[in-house]
């Protein structure tokens, strides 16, 4: 098992202690009626195996991005544990990402995981060149030798089908689609085991979107990493993923094979979502 | 441990499916019920019956695109273990779909920017066959199915319905599988193309592959099927 989420929750605001029970699927709200705390993610359990591609769908505010951010440790969970790649403590017990010793957290983020954001400004440093951005990730993963860093940056720049002559240009000199490609090169340059994608093609025109998705798919096949893809676009989910989880009011309301979710949705919200497809 | 299925490749027991439509106040729509059959290596089971009787739903439920409400779908894996596809974890289903169970949909599902040849070669490349060899085998398969060579590099979305169906069949059967499910594989085909497809299905049977296929035409059933179910009457 590569990734395991065990009852993971995230509450914003001071919790009255009953927020998780008072919100969620059955109460049809994510704001606690007693204390007004916002329950972004409510007791989510999930397993992702090697080489699996999991989609996350749900309405805005259902907790999709927060879930991703907790896995990437951009945010700490209020409760629950996230286990990754069999990490254990010195006694041989499973070690949650939230309890990693300092130093190990950034090691996991830099070596084992990468995130591609919808907004390139979150994923790229616009004060660095494209190559500098890729190099930053490679350096973060432990490589210090200039020539190896440069060669690997060039290699991944080629992988995203960009002319290597542009590797020293700054992100602002690239189009939105090209900036997403640079994020992909940066994310993959550390050869992660898990790639997290938060609305990777939202806002791009459809031809650019198709090329980016094809590129991600081809690189996933070639490199064999697992992926979790957040998208509100069922077409993206259908194209990229094998498995899909559906979130509503912070809860995971349905999880299954992507074709089953799209063709035989069980939960009322999933049925509504699928019937809303254009 | 799942009970033995007596050497069969597939055994379906008391399988039933109904759809709950939450947007219509939770009304239940029956897909099918009480489907029972066994299938051995090299056998073809034909599903027939009127439109709406649940034939496609049965195939989709076996493939787990639809979730069964009741029953078992016992499949003997290539390592001889038996798995209940109605209830096993989804990751096992993904594994089965990659290596052991194929599905030929009635209509072509392919990306518009992929050529017919690449689309057919893809399932082989996915299981590790070298690209050149995969393309060569795809070429042979398309030739065998009577697709004109000048179409190979074009998107099948520009093809006629019959040509699309043959590309779809080629895609569905090119990679080695132990069980293949086919939804009306000859529905859009003229007699000559139907004959070719039926011959292909016979070849698959000779190679020991178990098949479940939907047909409307009794003559076709008589030619290739070892057993059949009239889904409306559910008689075997």
């Amino acid at each position: 098992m590569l990734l395991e989420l065990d009852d993971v929750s995230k509450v914003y605001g001071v919790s009255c202690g009953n927020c998780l029970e008072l919100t969620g699927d059955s109460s049809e709200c994510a704001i606690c009626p007693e204390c007004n705390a916002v329950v972004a993610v409510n007791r989510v359990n999930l397993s992702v195996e090697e080489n699996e591609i999991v989609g996350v769908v749900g309405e805005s505010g259902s907790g999709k991005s927060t879930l991703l951010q907790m896995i990437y440790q951009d945010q700490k969970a209020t409760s629950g544990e996230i286990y990754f790649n069999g990490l254990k403590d010195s006694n041989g017990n499973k070690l949650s990402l939230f309890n990693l010793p300092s130093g190990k957290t950034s090691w996991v983020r830099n070596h084992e995981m990468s995130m591609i954001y919808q907004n390139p400004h979150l994923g790229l440093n616009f004060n660095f060149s494209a190559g500098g951005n890729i190099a930053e990730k490679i350096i973060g993963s432990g490589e210090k030798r200039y020539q190896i860093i440069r060669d690997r940056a060039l290699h991944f720049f080629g992988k995203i089908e960009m002319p290597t002559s542009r590797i020293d240009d700054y992100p602002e000199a690239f189009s939105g689609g090209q900036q997403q490609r640079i994020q992909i090169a940066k994310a993959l340059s550390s050869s992660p085991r898990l790639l997290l994608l938060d609305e990777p093609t939202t806002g791009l025109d459809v031809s650019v979107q198709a090329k980016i998705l094809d590129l991600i798919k081809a690189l996933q096949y070639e490199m064999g990493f697992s992926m979790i893809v957040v998208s509100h676009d069922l077409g993206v989910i259908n194209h990229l993923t094998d498995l899909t989880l559906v979130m509503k009011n912070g809860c995971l309301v349905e999880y299954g094979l992507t074709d089953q979710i799209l063709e035989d949705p069980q939960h009322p919200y999933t049925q509504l979502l699928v019937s809303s497809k254009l | 441990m799942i009970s033995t299925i007596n050497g069969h490749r597939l055994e379906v027991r008391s399988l039933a499916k109904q759809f709950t439509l939450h947007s219509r106040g939770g009304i239940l729509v029956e897909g099918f019920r009480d489907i029972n059959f066994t299938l051995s290596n090299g056998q073809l089971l034909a599903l027939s019956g009127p439109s709406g009787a649940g034939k496609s739903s049965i195939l989709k439920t076996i493939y787990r695109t639809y979730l069964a409400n009741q029953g078992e779908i016992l499949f003997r894996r290539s390592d001889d273990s038996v798995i209940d596809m109605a209830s096993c974890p989804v990751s096992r289903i993904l594994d089965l779909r990659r290596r052991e169970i194929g599905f030929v949909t009635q209509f072509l599902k392919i990306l518009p920017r992929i050529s017919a040849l690449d689309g057919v070669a893809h399932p082989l490349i996915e299981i590790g066959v070298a690209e050149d060899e995969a393309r060569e085998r795809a070429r042979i398969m398309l030739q065998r199915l009577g697709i004109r060579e000048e179409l190979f590099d074009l998107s099948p979305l520009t093809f006629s319905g019959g040509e699309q169906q043959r590309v779809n069949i080629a895609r569905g059967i090119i990679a080695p599988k132990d069980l293949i499910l086919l939804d009306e594989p000859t529905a859009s085909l003229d007699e000559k193309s139907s004959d070719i497809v039926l011959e292909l299905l016979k070849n698959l049977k000779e190679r020991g592959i178990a098949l479940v296929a939907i047909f409307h035409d009794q003559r076709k059933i008589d030619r290739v099927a070892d057993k059949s179910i009239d889904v409306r009457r559910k008689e075997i």
Side-chain angles (χ1 to χ4, degrees):
Chain A
M1 194 67 63
L2 182 67
L3 178 75
E4 198 178 338
L5 273 65
D6 184 6
D7 260 349
V8 172
S9 300
K10 177 71 185 179
V11 181
Y12 292 103
V14 181
S15 169
C16 61
N18 299 317
C19 302
L20 300 181
E21 288 74 26
L22 295 172
T23 59
D25 185 27
S26 52
S27 21
E28 299 203 339
C29 70
I31 298 175
C32 179
E34 276 190 9
C35 66
N36 285 332
V38 177
V39 180
V41 175
N42 196 336
R43 292 167 289 180
V44 167
N45 292 287
L46 174 71
S47 299
V48 180
E49 298 204 28
E50 298 273 359
N51 219 4
E52 274 183 359
I53 308 174
V54 179
V56 185
V57 295
E59 59 195 2
S60 299
S62 60
K64 309 186 294 292
S65 294
T66 306
L67 187 72
L68 225 52
Q69 287 161 10
M70 285 192 289
I71 296 169
Y72 198 52
Q73 301 157 85
D74 275 344
Q75 301 221 30
K76 197 165 171 27
T78 311
S79 59
E81 305 293 351
I82 297 180
Y83 303 107
F84 182 76
N85 198 26
L87 283 172
K88 291 189 169 71
D89 63 16
S90 51
N91 297 322
N93 299 317
K94 281 202 293 189
L95 185 61
S96 170
L97 289 183
F98 301 128
N99 300 324
L100 289 179
S102 58
K104 194 79 174 169
T105 303
S106 55
W107 183 85
V108 170
R109 272 176 66 113
N110 291 326
H111 279 79
E112 305 278 60
M113 293 186 195
S114 287
M115 172 93 106
I116 292 172
Y117 299 86
Q118 176 185 351
N119 180 352
H121 282 269
L122 291 175
L124 298 175
N125 185 334
F126 275 57
N127 295 317
F128 293 170
S129 67
N133 267 285
I134 302 170
E136 187 191 18
K137 181 82 178 172
I138 300 170
I139 292 166
S141 72
E143 183 56 61
K144 298 285 186 280
R145 291 163 293 181
Y146 172 80
Q147 197 55 49
I148 289 176
I149 294 166
R150 180 75 179 172
D151 289 349
R152 205 192 294 175
L154 281 165
H155 170 76
F156 279 96
F157 208 67
K159 283 260 179 234
I160 56 168
E161 295 156 10
M162 297 273 280
T164 48
S165 59
R166 295 203 62 194
I167 194 165
D168 295 321
D169 290 353
Y170 283 73
E172 67 207 11
F174 293 93
S175 69
Q178 288 170 328
Q179 288 171 357
Q180 289 309 71
R181 284 175 186 265
I182 298 166
Q183 276 207 77
I184 294 169
K186 177 177 182 176
L188 297 184
S189 63
S190 61
S191 301
R193 302 172 79 101
L194 178 64
L195 181 64
L196 307 166
L197 302 103
D198 192 358
E199 303 276 9
T201 56
T202 304
L204 299 175
D205 77 63
V206 287
S207 64
V208 175
Q209 171 171 290
K211 284 181 183 152
I212 299 263
L213 296 177
D214 286 351
L215 176 69
I216 292 170
K217 209 169 177 178
L219 290 171
Q220 190 281 330
Y221 173 72
E222 184 185 325
M223 297 173 68
F225 47 82
S226 302
M227 292 203 292
I228 303 179
V229 188
V230 166
S231 181
H232 64 261
D233 184 338
L234 294 180
V236 171
I237 295 295
N238 190 28
H239 181 46
L240 274 188
T241 69
D242 305 315
L243 300 163
T244 294
L245 65 94
V246 184
M247 291 190 71
K248 185 165 191 280
N249 289 322
C251 290
L252 192 165
V253 295
E254 189 166 354
Y255 175 64
L257 297 159
T258 297
D259 54 326
Q260 179 260 303
I261 296 286
L262 296 178
E263 293 193 42
D264 187 23
Q266 305 291 305
H267 190 276
Y269 173 67
T270 318
Q271 290 191 0
L272 177 69
L273 192 73
V274 171
S275 69
S276 308
K277 203 164 78 169
L278 296 176
Chain B
M1 185 66 191
I2 292 166
S3 57
T4 173
I5 56 173
N6 292 329
H8 299 301
R9 174 62 73 185
L10 179 70
E11 179 163 353
V12 169
R13 294 177 183 165
S14 306
L15 194 65
K17 170 69 189 167
Q18 51 184 208
F19 300 91
T20 307
L21 306 183
H22 293 289
S23 62
R24 301 284 181 84
I27 60 166
L28 298 176
V29 176
E30 184 167 297
F32 57 86
R33 64 187 149 115
D34 201 26
I35 295 296
N36 296 278
F37 65 86
T38 58
L39 192 64
S40 296
N41 291 340
Q43 283 192 324
L44 188 150
L45 169 77
L47 301 176
S48 63
S51 298
K55 305 182 296 298
S56 295
S57 295
I58 294 172
L59 282 195
K60 287 185 176 184
T61 305
I62 296 171
Y63 199 58
R64 196 64 178 255
T65 298
Y66 289 173
L67 292 176
N69 293 93
Q70 187 194 314
E72 294 171 304
I73 304 161
L74 304 178
F75 176 72
R76 182 180 298 285
R77 302 200 64 175
S78 43
D79 65 2
D80 228 25
S81 63
V82 175
I83 188 166
D84 180 6
M85 291 168 57
S87 62
C88 70
V90 284
S91 53
R92 296 286 83 75
I93 296 285
L94 284 178
D95 202 27
L96 287 170
R97 288 180 175 188
R98 282 189 197 110
R99 299 271 164 193
E100 296 173 57
I101 300 178
F103 194 108
V104 178
T105 52
Q106 186 176 357
F107 301 105
L108 184 67
K109 285 186 183 171
I110 198 165
L111 294 174
R113 48 195 181 276
I114 306 279
S115 72
L117 190 69
D118 285 345
V120 174
H122 186 255
L124 287 175
I125 295 169
E126 257 191 343
I127 57 166
V129 176
E131 285 195 21
D132 286 349
E133 189 193 332
R135 285 211 177 79
E136 184 53 32
R137 281 163 65 179
R139 186 179 295 282
I140 292 166
M141 180 63 83
L142 285 170
Q143 280 166 345
R144 182 154 182 211
L145 280 159
I147 301 292
R148 286 172 290 139
E149 194 125 9
E150 63 261 33
L151 298 179
F152 286 8
D153 292 326
L154 302 179
S155 164
L157 291 187
T158 61
F159 294 6
S160 74
E163 286 163 343
Q164 286 193 3
Q165 186 155 30
R166 280 176 281 160
V167 170
N168 206 27
I169 292 168
R171 222 173 115 76
I173 67 173
I174 194 161
K177 306 279 184 187
D178 295 319
L179 170 68
I180 301 178
L181 312 168
L182 304 103
D183 193 350
E184 301 207 35
T186 57
S188 316
L189 301 183
D190 59 28
E191 206 165 322
K192 187 179 160 207
S193 299
S194 281
D195 284 345
I196 295 172
V197 169
L198 294 178
E199 282 308 308
L200 259 179
L201 297 183
K202 282 187 186 170
N203 290 159
L204 294 174
K205 286 171 55 180
E206 284 160 14
R207 283 162 46 196
I209 297 167
L211 304 163
V212 183
I214 296 174
F215 289 107
H216 279 295
D217 184 342
Q218 188 59 44
R219 284 169 303 176
K220 288 173 186 162
I221 295 174
D222 293 341
R223 276 180 64 181
V224 293
D226 300 280
K227 47 175 80 174
S228 66
I229 296 177
D230 183 329
V231 175
R232 174 182 41 186
R233 293 199 302 270
K234 300 178 200 68
E235 288 169 0
I236 210 159

